[in-house]
Amino acid sequence: KDVIPPLEQLMVEKEGYLQKAKIADGGKKLRKNWSTSWIVLSSRKIEFYKESKQQALSNMKTGNKPESVDLCGAHIEWAKEKSSRKNVFQITTVSGNEFLLQSDIDFIILDWFHAIKNAIDRLPKD
Ligand code: I3P
């Protein structure tokens, strides 16, 4: 029999590793803590996995959920002043969650910025 993949898997637009720091949760500032994250962009959300893709896939079977970010109404902007690191941008969600994403490699961060910005621009604002 054919196995039908979940719709979400069909809609993946981009995935890869970036440095991630969540700096606010529901509008409340958090202590900045950078870590490597496996990032999966689909049409209306981003998922952050703490582990490698392989680890994330095996965790999915055990029901371990990634952090999911709703892109509807979200904002994305470069955030030079928020870090001593180069190539940092910020995503702010309607719910007041703030994430910094970073890569030392210029084309990688540019590709991600434009992919996420395009996804946000295609979505309804509310
Ligand atoms: C933070 C840590 C972060 C740094 C942050 C520090 O210290 O060094 O890497 O952010 O700077 O406060 P700690 O681990 O003690 O919390 P950047 O690497 O982005 O500069 P900040 O306070 O200026 O954001």
Side-chain angles (χ1 to χ4, degrees):
K1 264 200 216 120
D2 288 344
V3 176
I4 301 168
L7 199 53
E8 252 141 49
Q9 261 176 325
L10 295 173
M11 299 189 306
V12 168
E13 297 190 359
K14 188 171 176 62
E15 52 189 337
Y17 289 106
L18 288 179
Q19 296 300 308
K20 184 200 87 170
K22 187 175 185 180
I23 57 166
D25 186 276
K28 188 171 168 282
K29 292 287 170 204
L30 299 174
R31 179 168 171 185
K32 191 195 280 166
N33 184 17
W34 287 104
S35 63
T36 304
S37 190
W38 178 258
I39 298 177
V40 179
L41 171 67
S42 51
S43 54
R44 64 164 294 154
K45 68 174 193 229
I46 297 175
E47 288 176 328
F48 295 121
Y49 295 86
K50 288 192 192 76
E51 334 77 357
S52 69
K53 186 181 192 183
Q54 290 76 7
Q55 190 65 51
L57 286 170
S58 75
N59 279 353
M60 275 199 274
K61 291 178 196 144
T62 62
N64 199 331
K65 290 267 160 52
E67 176 159 32
S68 182
V69 175
D70 182 8
L71 291 177
C72 261
H75 289 278
I76 183 170
E77 62 193 346
W78 292 104
K80 233 181 174 39
E81 72 293 348
K82 299 253 175 117
S83 175
S84 60
R85 300 177 174 211
K86 68 185 267 197
N87 296 342
V88 176
F89 65 77
Q90 176 171 335
I91 300 168
T92 306
T93 67
V94 168
S95 57
N97 293 344
E98 297 174 8
F99 301 90
L100 300 180
L101 295 176
Q102 189 265 345
S103 168
D104 285 337
I105 301 163
D106 296 357
F107 80 86
I108 288 179
I109 202 72
L110 277 171
D111 280 358
W112 273 103
F113 183 87
H114 290 118
I116 296 170
K117 191 176 182 343
N118 286 339
I120 290 172
D121 289 347
R122 282 196 305 264
L123 288 167
K125 298 286 168 276
D126 41 38

